[in-house]
Amino acid sequence: MSTVRRPDHHRSERHGGHRSARPAHSTGLRHVLTHLITPLLMCIGMGLAYLGAFANPAPHDLPVAIVGSGRSAQLLAQSINDRAHGDLEVRTVGNRAAAVEQLKHEDIFGAYVIDARAQGATARDARSDGAGSRGARAHGAGAHGARAHDAGAHGARGASADAVGGAAAAAAGSARPAPELLVATAGSDTSASVVQKIFTPLAAQQGAPLKVTDVAPTAEDDPTGQGVFFLLVAISIGSYASVAVIGGAGAGLPLRLRAALAIGTSFVVSLIGAAFAGPVFHLVDHGLWGVWGMAWLYSAGILLIGTGLHTFLKRWTTLGVMALFVMLNFTSSGGIFRPEMQNGFFAALHSFWNGAGFVEGTRSHVYFDGYGLSGHLWTLVWWLVVGVLTVGAAALAEKRRRAAEAETAANAVAVAAAAVAATVPPRQPRGVEDEDLEEELEEAVGV
């Protein structure tokens, strides 16, 4: 019985097909691996930024105050400074009203009143009528204060190893104190919580519960004050994601038209942000138009910078704007932890980055009567100026690129024309020899 064998040419075709498929797969795999670099770099960048900024928050020279003008207040402030090892920057403030003012100016983030009743009595005495009687009472109080000062100093020298508790007890005297902690959660809820954890044990050592008073509370529907940070996140994503659309889908449009699209998109994004802040989630209870204006400045800066960078970065633009406006921006904005709770790198960025300008500007406008608002507005304006300059640089680069491409195309046409001219001989004019040849052909065909 004979065996039927497959022709060799079928086998060769099959192996040839496999050989041609392998290079195609290899090329496709390299293409995928090359594009995977971007998300992997995003992963690394986000991990370094977020964990570096938020993983281990700790106070660094966090400014707080002890309310009081006597030696006991100074001793308490000094003892806390010595025990804090640079974590706190403790100062003394003469009275409760001055402490409240410094809290509302964000010069301090907590003020410990050793005895709130004594502060209240001092304030009432200051408002009493009769200059003579005030002088007499001041003289009597001075004598009593001198005796209390001697007792306080003696108590501080004879205190146990806990210097903070000893100084507080000496300041309180024989009467049971009424300690009070002043905070401003609108400035930073996390900083207020840290301050409260620091001073609660101190009040316990005084033998009295700590009364916490919030002198700058947040809006009722934003109890932690972090809604402003998440508003920043929404506006940022709407802005830098639009950069990819304008740069990619609009790559064939003139740059001036792309810049106009960026400005228009920022207007829409800022309106969406204002809607979230006001009627949708009630993050702010007043000053909504001011919040919208800062949202527009912030969004326009991002969109113009991203639109300009797309000319230079091309497919790396997404990674670039994420590094600028997510990795470095969210972490340094102060929306979760203020710079006093972060390391030096992110604390330094907070002083000039655009996210910090928006968050701190919104806080200043809504909760702190506009104190320091102009500085935050200038931060946003300067980032907008950077965006305009970036678009200008991109316009110059694209103009030079177009000129170079036109010159290259003209040179290519000239070379092609020269090559054609060199290979095709020129047509000769009709002469006598051509006429003789024509007559011979006519005779040959019998014409």
Side-chain angles (χ1 to χ4, degrees):
M1 184 175 70
S2 62
T3 302
V4 178
R5 302 186 61 183
R6 185 184 299 271
D8 290 341
H9 70 274
H10 289 297
R11 187 179 303 168
S12 63
E13 286 178 0
R14 183 183 62 187
H15 289 298
H18 284 307
R19 282 194 296 269
S20 62
R22 286 187 190 128
H25 292 165
S26 183
T27 302
L29 183 60
R30 283 197 301 270
H31 182 73
V32 172
L33 291 176
T34 301
H35 282 76
L36 278 175
I37 294 175
T38 300
L40 292 177
L41 288 176
M42 289 180 182
C43 177
I44 294 172
M46 294 289 281
L48 290 174
Y50 273 74
L51 295 176
F54 297 150
N56 186 26
H60 302 283
D61 296 321
L62 182 68
V64 296
I66 302 297
V67 179
S69 56
R71 181 171 174 79
S72 58
Q74 295 176 356
L75 287 172
L76 179 59
Q78 184 60 48
S79 64
I80 295 175
N81 264 328
D82 293 341
R83 292 164 63 90
H85 303 294
D87 293 342
L88 303 176
E89 180 190 309
V90 188
R91 64 189 72 171
T92 57
V93 178
N95 54 65
R96 189 179 187 277
V100 171
E101 183 178 3
Q102 290 193 24
L103 280 166
K104 291 186 175 181
H105 290 174
E106 296 187 281
D107 295 328
I108 58 175
F109 294 94
Y112 184 77
V113 185
I114 299 174
D115 191 348
R117 290 175 300 186
Q119 283 289 320
T122 302
R124 286 193 299 272
D125 289 345
R127 291 192 298 269
S128 299
D129 295 328
S133 60
R134 286 199 304 270
R137 283 196 298 272
H139 173 73
H144 176 73
R147 291 192 297 272
H149 165 70
D150 293 339
H154 176 73
R157 285 192 297 270
S160 63
D162 194 344
V164 175
S174 60
R176 186 174 181 179
E180 180 185 19
L181 178 64
L182 307 177
V183 296
T185 56
S188 173
D189 180 70
T190 53
S191 296
S193 298
V194 168
V195 171
Q196 187 172 346
K197 289 180 180 179
I198 291 171
F199 286 102
T200 297
L202 179 58
Q205 290 171 357
Q206 288 186 256
L210 179 64
K211 176 186 177 183
V212 179
T213 303
D214 191 352
V215 301
T218 58
E220 183 178 355
D221 291 329
D222 185 22
T224 65
Q226 294 179 4
V228 175
F229 170 75
F230 293 108
L231 176 64
L232 170 78
V233 172
I235 296 172
S236 301
I237 292 176
S239 300
Y240 79 74
S242 299
V243 167
V245 175
I246 295 173
L253 298 175
L255 184 59
R256 62 179 181 275
L257 187 53
R258 278 179 277 152
L261 284 172
I263 296 296
T265 304
S266 67
F267 181 77
V268 176
V269 169
S270 63
L271 285 178
I272 294 173
F276 286 155
V280 178
F281 293 107
H282 308 287
L283 303 178
V284 299
D285 50 16
H286 65 279
L288 185 59
W289 285 111
V291 175
W292 168 77
M294 285 183 281
W296 178 81
L297 284 172
Y298 174 75
S299 178
I302 292 177
L303 274 154
L304 288 177
I305 290 174
T307 301
L309 286 179
H310 190 273
T311 299
F312 305 100
L313 301 181
K314 300 298 183 184
R315 72 183 185 91
W316 299 102
T317 303
T318 300
L319 180 61
V321 295
M322 280 197 69
L324 288 174
F325 305 119
V326 176
M327 300 174 191
L328 300 179
N329 190 26
F330 295 169
T331 51
S332 64
S333 66
I336 302 296
F337 297 111
R338 283 192 56 83
E340 294 83 5
M341 296 292 296
Q342 296 182 298
N343 59 48
F345 175 73
F346 293 100
L349 290 182
H350 181 84
S351 62
F352 65 92
W353 218 256
N354 59 342
F358 176 78
V359 170
E360 298 296 352
T362 300
R363 286 172 173 169
S364 174
H365 173 64
V366 177
Y367 298 122
F368 296 105
D369 300 323
Y371 182 80
L373 178 60
S374 60
H376 304 310
L377 288 177
W378 274 114
T379 298
L380 296 175
V381 168
W382 280 118
W383 278 84
L384 180 61
V385 170
V386 170
V388 173
L389 294 176
T390 305
V391 171
L396 291 176
E398 290 189 6
K399 182 178 179 180
R400 291 176 180 175
R401 187 180 301 167
R402 286 193 301 269
E405 290 174 353
E407 183 178 356
T408 302
N411 291 337
V413 170
V415 170
V420 170
T423 56
V424 178
R427 186 175 180 180
Q428 298 294 330
R430 188 178 179 90
V432 177
E433 295 180 357
D434 293 332
E435 293 178 355
D436 294 340
L437 179 61
E438 203 172 282
E439 290 177 357
E440 292 177 0
L441 288 175
E442 290 175 354
E443 291 177 356
V445 298
V447 178

